[in-house]
Amino acid sequence: QVQLVESGGGVVQPGGSLRLSCAASGFTFSTYGMHWVRRAPGKGLEWVAFIRFDGSNKYYADSVKGRFTISRDNSNNTLDLQMNSLRPEDTAVYYCAKGPQSWDPIDYWGQGTLVTVSS
Amino acid sequence: DIQMTQSPSSLSTSVGDRVTITCRASQSISNYLNWYQQRPGKAPKLLIYAASSLQSGVPSRFSGSGSGTDFTLTISSLQPEDFATYYCQQSYRTPLTFGGGTKVEIK
């Protein structure tokens, strides 16, 4: 069955960097687009970024554009999110999620990894 | 960006009740509307896609309707495991956007 396992979360100071990873299994990773979605404490879901199956196109929320970079390694079935210039408002549970194309529904989600930005 | 407005933001209801949640888009999104359920401490789960199509494995008491700008999620007879937060999401255009969520609580 589909499994998405996030890692790399933790506590970081404002202005710092963190790299999240997602290990995918149970489906042909190289043929699916992938998302990062987050949920801040007490808030709703917020889409963060999407990458096409081959990495040819990437899309970002305005709130993270220029600070976050989504990437993938189809040979190792992994998805990454490099987060720079972190702000307290980036504190959230970050979910790795699968969706064939950006216009398709997000059909599987990982359990999430918590990122806390605090001094 | 396309804004998604859900209502109500919360509701208290009982097992067996019929529940209706609405979602409005700030512009037409055709049927590019999806519904998700999130239980506390769990990952979101896809319930309905393309406004009215039931995701595989989701009970038939869940249904969706609408097109253009106005959409509805209906739970025909609420079960104990349905107490959760529900989100609509448009996939018509990036940036993808979610509604603010509707928390369904036990009365």
Side-chain angles (χ1 to χ4, degrees), chain B residues 47-62:
Chain B
L47 299 176
I48 301 285
Y49 63 94
S52 60
S53 295
L54 192 68
Q55 173 70 348
S56 176
V58 174
S60 59
R61 63 181 179 272
F62 291 92

Side-chain angles (χ1 to χ4, degrees), chain A:
Chain A
Q1 71 279 20
V2 173
Q3 281 203 307
L4 299 168
V5 180
E6 302 93 338
S7 60
V11 180
V12 60
Q13 292 189 337
S17 298
L18 208 58
R19 189 176 186 90
L20 305 183
S21 291
C22 172
S25 61
F27 65 104
T28 307
F29 181 74
S30 60
T31 65
Y32 284 88
M34 297 293 295
H35 300 262
W36 286 100
V37 179
R38 67 185 181 185
R39 184 176 183 184
K43 300 286 184 67
L45 296 171
E46 180 187 17
W47 175 78
V48 173
F50 174 82
I51 185 168
R52 285 198 68 196
F53 69 98
D54 58 359
S56 60
N57 290 90
K58 306 173 185 181
Y59 306 95
Y60 298 93
D62 289 346
S63 58
V64 307
K65 200 174 294 183
R67 301 187 298 123
F68 290 12
T69 302
I70 189 171
S71 62
R72 64 189 297 155
D73 181 348
N74 285 347
S75 62
N76 288 310
N77 292 351
T78 57
L79 174 74
D80 288 342
L81 185 69
Q82 177 65 43
M83 304 186 295
N84 298 330
S85 303
L86 282 161
R87 305 167 179 167
E89 56 264 36
D90 295 319
T91 294
V93 175
Y94 284 74
Y95 298 98
C96 162
K98 165 184 166 286
Q101 303 289 350
S102 62
W103 53 83
D104 288 315
I106 301 173
D107 57 2
Y108 284 97
W109 302 63
Q111 290 302 308
T113 187
L114 176 62
V115 173
T116 303
V117 184
S118 173
S119 54

Side-chain angles (χ1 to χ4, degrees), chain B residues 11-92:
Chain B
L11 62 95
S12 294
T13 186
S14 302
V15 172
D17 283 356
R18 182 182 183 88
V19 169
T20 299
I21 299 169
T22 64
C23 180
R24 175 165 288 176
S26 60
Q27 64 183 82
S28 178
I29 57 171
S30 184
N31 69 335
Y32 288 85
L33 190 283
N34 310 302
W35 290 98
Y36 302 88
Q37 175 195 66
Q38 188 172 31
R39 298 189 180 109
K42 299 294 186 181
K45 174 186 173 182
L46 177 65
L47 299 176
I48 301 285
Y49 63 94
S52 60
S53 295
L54 192 68
Q55 173 70 348
S56 176
V58 174
S60 59
R61 63 181 179 272
F62 291 92
S63 64
S65 65
S67 68
T69 59
D70 293 308
F71 302 88
T72 299
L73 173 70
T74 300
I75 311 171
S76 60
S77 177
L78 203 69
Q79 298 302 299
E81 60 269 28
D82 301 337
F83 291 94
T85 300
Y86 295 84
Y87 295 93
C88 62
Q89 176 238 344
Q90 65 82 15
S91 54
Y92 182 76

